[in-house]
Amino acid sequence: MSGPPPGTSESTDLILSYGPAFPWQVFALACALLFLAFLFRRVPWARWALTGAGVLALIVAGVLWAGMS
């Protein structure tokens, strides 16, 4: 028998598995986006797009952490 590990849920519509590490994965994505925004700070559209996406990912990570506790 196969199935999701204990403590996780099975979902086919997410690329990342939704489990205890999911908020950390979203947080790592936010950090990467903000780092890219810093690297591309001289390109206005990229700076704003990456910063906006990074801040949104930070908010989502916080909501996930709050919802999981």
Side-chain angles (χ1 to χ4, degrees):
M1 277 194 333
S2 67
T8 62
S9 63
E10 187 173 0
S11 176
T12 57
D13 58 345
L14 291 175
I15 294 173
L16 301 172
S17 62
Y18 183 78
F22 190 62
W24 286 106
Q25 293 171 340
V26 175
F27 181 74
L29 174 67
C31 291
L33 288 170
L34 291 172
F35 180 69
L36 286 173
F38 173 73
L39 289 179
F40 291 101
R41 64 189 179 271
R42 305 249 186 246
V43 183
W45 67 267
R47 178 184 63 213
W48 287 109
L50 292 168
T51 302
V55 169
L56 183 63
L58 281 176
I59 293 169
V60 169
V63 169
L64 286 171
W65 266 314
M68 294 183 87
S69 60

